[in-house]
Amino acid sequence: GFIYPDRSNMLVLKVLALSLGLKYAVSGYLIHFKKKYSLVKGFEEEFRAGCKKESYANRIGLMEFVVGIAISLAAIALIIFDN
């Protein structure tokens, strides 16, 4: 069962972690490096209203990118070095 995970359940969790990490890394890359600010919820409206600055979206994108890379690397390490 899922309470006492066996190897197949653990592989599913590792692949899920890898896909989640890649999702965050890609969206962070698009926001921070490609300036796709429309991916940040509500940013464009608040930017036009003068409430938020471009640096806010850049920080959000960089944080997502770094967290995504960290999760992806951890998932890859768990998949590779699994005993």
Side-chain angles (χ1 to χ4, degrees):
F2 200 73
I3 295 175
Y4 300 106
D6 56 7
R7 290 186 109 34
S8 63
N9 286 340
M10 292 305 289
L11 182 62
V12 169
L13 291 176
K14 291 172 191 174
V15 170
L16 188 64
L18 180 62
S19 62
L20 182 69
L22 290 175
K23 179 263 176 215
Y24 273 104
V26 169
S27 66
Y29 171 80
L30 290 174
I31 293 168
H32 185 72
F33 296 106
K34 296 294 186 178
K35 310 295 185 207
K36 301 269 185 182
Y37 298 139
S38 61
L39 297 174
V40 179
K41 180 177 169 72
F43 173 73
E44 290 182 331
E45 295 81 21
E46 293 188 22
F47 180 70
R48 280 188 227 113
C51 298
K52 303 269 188 209
K53 296 182 180 178
E54 193 172 324
S55 62
Y56 170 78
N58 278 328
R59 279 196 318 267
I60 296 289
L62 186 60
M63 284 189 297
E64 278 194 23
F65 183 70
V66 169
V67 168
I69 294 295
I71 292 172
S72 297
L73 289 176
I76 290 170
L78 285 173
I79 290 170
I80 291 174
F81 299 116
D82 187 24
N83 294 352

